[in-house]
Amino acid sequence: MSATQNITIRDYVNGEWVDAADSPTAALFNPSTGQQIGVVPLGDEKSSRAASKAAADAFISWKETPLPKRMNYIFALHSAMVEHKEMLAQAIALDQAKHISEARGEVQRVIEIVQMACTIPALIQGETIPQIANNISGKIIKAPLGVFCGVAPFNFPALVFGWFIPFAIGTGNTFVYKPSTESPLFMQKMVQLFEQIELPAGVVNIVHGDREVVEAWYDDENVAGVCLVGSSPTAKAIAAGCGTNGKKTMLLGGAKNFLAVMEDAPMQELIDNLVISGYGSAGQRCLAISNIACVNEAYDELIERLLEASKAVTLGDATDPDVFMGPVISAAAKARIENYIEIGLAEGATLLLDGRNPSLKAENADGYFIGPTIFTDVTPDMRIAKEEIFGPVLSIMKVGCIDGALRMIKNHPMGNGACIFTQNAYYIEKFINNADVGMVGVNVGVCAPHPYMPFGGIKDSLVGNNKVQGKEGIDFFTQNKVATIRVVEPTGSGAKQGETKVSGQESDNSVRSCVAS
Ligand code: NAD
């Protein structure tokens, strides 16, 4: 480990760094080189609960902080992120090894999400219905719930911060965040920004570790809810743990996204987008295209042009602006993806392009690289078409028409996103209405909705109903608290003591029945 990369990741609780001297640690690697660059503490029930306690203590005054003052922190956070966006992007390019151009894109997107969070005052206004009965009104307030905890995947350390924290704290809750042990650096840098904006202690806390940290929240009386972006098995495990303990959840799971290619697809745009969505972030994106359902008429041209474009993809260090694609996250991920290539071969698919053992510069020889990989002659029942590979591997299947593509999408257990390339308005409408997924793209490769709109899938890609961002992402962090209010005229204002003067005495029964129910 070089001296410049001796990074010690630490928990941040109640506005202070926590010295985890006696805690076990995991090694932190630079996936571009395979070199260890630091250590991450592996927390446990104790560190997890210390963080939720700090957040619960901070909630008492944070929820009473006037909304404009709370929002000033969100505005200041936005400005600080704009000011330091290059520092944040470099952090992501180092430990997650997302290519620097995409790391900058991720930071830019999260800045836009924080902008969306600035609309909270307009979106959490309550409702009042006067005179539900005589002298009785009903009032709904969007109340914060307390402490939320968030669990992040390795592949979007910044985006997931944005989906959870600004919305949670802007609505008056406090937060505990557990980054992935594989990409903790972004949040370590964010602490500098929390201190710059003087965010009150305990409003955002960070605790590192793996599932033990999360499991401690299931029956933690300080915790109101848990949010996750991660794989489907993890989402289901958290749903089970939180469900039996009555915690609120927002759980985004894994993905296996389809691209439908129609006979009139604008081919150059299609290839340009497919290279970005299939191989960008080395295929480690929940909206990456993985399965391609192509109609017979477009098949030969697609294969020829995709193969040529895929061979031109350059690989190298994620911080090198001159290459297109960085490595995958870990040696284990590389081995898993290589194993899927073996599985595809054993299942009888044709390996048109093999990304194993790509040529690299000497300094990246120990990095976790896999180049663009293409399988043809794939059928929907093959494991390479069914399971989430989460690497730069494309599986191409032939279909007779749009119905064949829609059927494949419907039959797949996951339902995050699906895209179509066509110029035909009939196909577009049919695809939008019938693709059995949560997010649809038309002539785009990555169908990521703008932060003003909800983001999330269906089926195994979303456990429960709550999606992130947009109005839905704000609503999740509040409850519709309802007050039924009877106004009693003060004594001495004309009514006899112990008697409520109700205007229109004839409706007294409706008052009683309303109060009784
Ligand atoms: P993962 O599920 O392995 O881990 C995610 C987080 O959950 C980590 O912080 C991990 O420490 C924690 N965790 C793991 N097992 C747990 C358990 N049993 N109980 C509690 N917590 C546990 O996912 P990953 O490999 O870090 O990230 C990649 C996955 O995330 C892919 O499946 C990808 O599709 C998914 N993802 C989905 C979206 C989306 O929008 N749907 C976005 C990004 C990533």
Side-chain angles (χ1 to χ4, degrees):
M1 216 191 314
S2 75
T4 53
Q5 293 191 323
N6 191 5
I7 300 165
T8 301
I9 301 291
R10 284 186 293 168
D11 290 358
Y12 181 74
V13 176
N14 200 25
E16 290 181 355
W17 292 110
V18 178
D19 188 4
D22 54 353
S23 138
T25 56
L28 181 65
F29 292 96
N30 175 353
S32 295
T33 61
Q35 300 299 305
Q36 187 179 345
I37 53 170
V39 288
V40 191
L42 289 175
D44 53 14
E45 182 178 330
K46 197 167 152 234
S47 59
S48 177
R49 293 197 178 205
S52 60
K53 171 77 169 62
D57 291 346
F59 176 64
I60 296 164
S61 54
W62 182 246
K63 77 166 190 262
E64 301 300 340
T65 305
L67 183 57
K69 192 169 173 195
R70 244 173 24 217
M71 294 315 299
N72 279 342
Y73 290 107
I74 310 291
F75 296 140
L77 185 64
H78 177 267
S79 303
M81 291 183 79
V82 170
E83 185 188 344
H84 294 289
K85 61 182 172 186
E86 186 58 20
M87 172 188 80
L88 298 172
Q90 292 290 347
I92 298 169
L94 179 60
D95 67 357
Q96 199 239 300
K98 182 170 284 180
H99 187 263
I100 185 63
S101 61
E102 292 178 280
R104 289 184 183 125
E106 182 179 349
V107 172
Q108 185 53 42
R109 175 47 70 103
V110 78
I111 287 170
E112 289 163 10
I113 295 173
V114 179
Q115 254 173 19
M116 167 65 200
C118 294
T119 65
I120 283 172
L123 293 175
I124 62 162
Q125 294 180 16
E127 292 167 26
T128 302
I129 307 179
Q131 284 299 96
I132 262 178
N134 271 331
N135 283 5
I136 293 192
S137 62
K139 177 175 168 177
I140 301 170
I141 56 167
K142 301 224 172 254
L145 287 152
V147 177
F148 279 90
C149 302
V151 189
F154 77 82
N155 66 323
F156 275 110
L159 194 66
V160 174
F161 154 83
W163 282 343
F164 296 165
I165 294 181
F167 295 144
I169 67 172
T171 49
N173 305 280
T174 53
F175 212 88
V176 184
Y177 192 66
K178 190 200 85 60
S180 165
T181 51
E182 294 176 314
S183 56
L185 205 44
F186 171 81
M187 282 310 291
Q188 179 114 338
K189 298 288 180 194
M190 283 301 294
V191 170
Q192 186 179 318
L193 275 50
F194 298 152
E195 292 186 341
Q196 179 178 326
I197 67 168
E198 298 179 3
L199 189 68
V203 172
V204 177
N205 306 274
I206 305 166
V207 61
H208 296 278
D210 208 343
R211 55 188 292 178
E212 297 72 18
V213 168
V214 182
E215 286 163 355
W217 292 324
Y218 297 161
D219 63 353
D220 182 339
E221 63 184 16
N222 285 320
V223 172
V226 179
C227 327
L228 164 88
V229 177
S231 62
S232 299
T234 304
K236 287 176 185 173
I238 295 178
C242 285
T244 51
N245 289 285
K247 308 286 188 210
K248 206 171 179 190
T249 53
M250 176 163 71
L251 307 167
L252 272 62
K256 185 85 177 174
N257 306 303
F258 277 82
L259 171 70
V261 181
M262 296 293 101
E263 62 278 6
D264 62 345
M267 200 49 86
Q268 193 53 51
E269 285 95 324
L270 165 62
I271 298 298
D272 292 348
N273 277 277
L274 189 45
V275 166
I276 291 167
S277 68
Y279 310 138
S281 296
Q284 303 168 115
R285 254 200 300 234
C286 64
L287 284 178
I289 294 299
S290 177
N291 284 341
I292 301 170
C294 181
V295 295
N296 295 315
E297 296 90 321
Y299 189 78
D300 290 342
E301 190 184 357
L302 170 74
I303 299 292
E304 187 189 332
R305 292 176 70 166
L306 178 61
L307 184 59
E308 188 188 347
S310 303
K311 283 180 176 169
V313 166
T314 49
L315 270 78
D317 201 290
T319 56
D320 180 351
D322 295 330
V323 299
F324 176 80
M325 192 174 141
V328 296
I329 186 69
S330 63
K334 181 174 180 245
R336 188 196 64 238
I337 297 161
E338 288 174 344
N339 187 45
Y340 269 111
I341 296 174
E342 289 298 333
I343 290 170
L345 285 168
E347 287 178 313
T350 303
L351 186 55
L352 187 68
L353 183 63
D354 187 352
R356 291 173 293 184
N357 305 312
S359 64
L360 296 158
K361 286 184 183 165
E363 59 266 35
N364 299 113
D366 293 330
Y368 315 131
F369 289 89
I370 298 191
T373 299
I374 305 173
F375 276 109
T376 55
D377 302 317
V378 178
T379 53
D381 55 320
M382 290 181 182
R383 283 183 63 192
I384 55 168
K386 285 199 299 200
E387 296 172 15
E388 185 176 30
I389 299 174
F390 222 51
V393 181
L394 296 173
S395 295
I396 307 184
M397 295 170 266
K398 274 188 185 172
V399 289
C401 63
I402 190 170
D403 292 330
L406 288 169
R407 223 174 0 257
M408 283 183 188
I409 295 168
K410 179 149 191 61
N411 290 338
H412 200 281
M414 291 178 183
N416 211 37
C419 298
I420 187 169
F421 269 74
T422 182
Q423 300 170 58
N424 182 314
Y426 169 76
Y427 289 158
I428 293 172
E429 281 300 311
K430 183 162 187 170
F431 195 79
I432 293 172
N433 291 327
N434 295 292
D436 202 22
V437 294
M439 296 171 278
V440 176
V442 177
N443 297 323
V444 296
V446 181
C447 53
H450 188 275
Y452 296 165
M453 289 177 254
F455 185 118
I458 56 169
K459 299 188 279 187
D460 275 0
S461 297
L462 184 79
V463 177
N465 294 314
N466 295 293
K467 298 187 175 187
V468 297
Q469 73 175 34
K471 190 172 179 318
E472 220 175 307
I474 293 173
D475 279 348
F476 172 77
F477 293 107
T478 62
Q479 65 139 324
N480 282 329
K481 190 172 194 177
V482 182
T484 301
I485 308 156
R486 180 167 66 177
V487 179
V488 180
E489 190 167 333
T491 50
S493 63
K496 282 190 211 156
Q497 200 149 23
E499 177 189 282
T500 303
K501 185 176 159 195
V502 179
S503 64
Q505 293 287 340
E506 68 284 357
S507 297
D508 197 39
N509 284 345
S510 68
V511 177
R512 286 202 194 98
S513 68
C514 182
V515 172
S517 65

